[in-house]
Amino acid sequence: MENNPISPVHYKKGKREAILIIKDMLTREEFKGFCKGLITKYLIRADYKNGVEDLKKAEWYLKYLIKEEEKK
């Protein structure tokens, strides 16, 4: 998975993945906004920067957000 642009190795240095640390630092609503912001960022820049790679990143964050919302 070293070349995986959605979850690169450098996101997993240490004991926890970066997204889990961020999630712990934010309220549920703040984390929801964080995910929505990243989804929007990747959708907007897909046509100008990384194309399908950015669309996959947006998809990953959307799926993550959906799982979190289903836990409610």
Side-chain angles (χ1 to χ4, degrees), residues 20-59:
L20 297 176
I21 295 168
I22 294 167
K23 182 181 170 192
D24 286 347
M25 294 173 62
L26 302 175
T27 66
R28 183 179 206 93
E29 286 304 307
E30 289 170 337
F31 185 71
K32 187 175 173 179
F34 170 78
C35 289
K36 286 181 175 183
L38 288 174
I39 293 162
T40 303
K41 168 190 160 179
Y42 289 123
L43 289 175
I44 289 171
R45 80 178 200 176
D47 288 339
Y48 307 100
K49 191 170 181 187
N50 298 320
V52 173
E53 181 179 309
D54 281 339
L55 293 174
K56 287 180 179 182
K57 288 178 181 182
E59 177 186 39

Side-chain angles (χ1 to χ4, degrees), residues 53-68:
E53 181 179 309
D54 281 339
L55 293 174
K56 287 180 179 182
K57 288 178 181 182
E59 177 186 39
W60 189 91
Y61 281 101
L62 179 57
K63 286 180 178 180
Y64 196 97
L65 179 58
I66 289 168
K67 284 180 188 176
E68 289 300 307

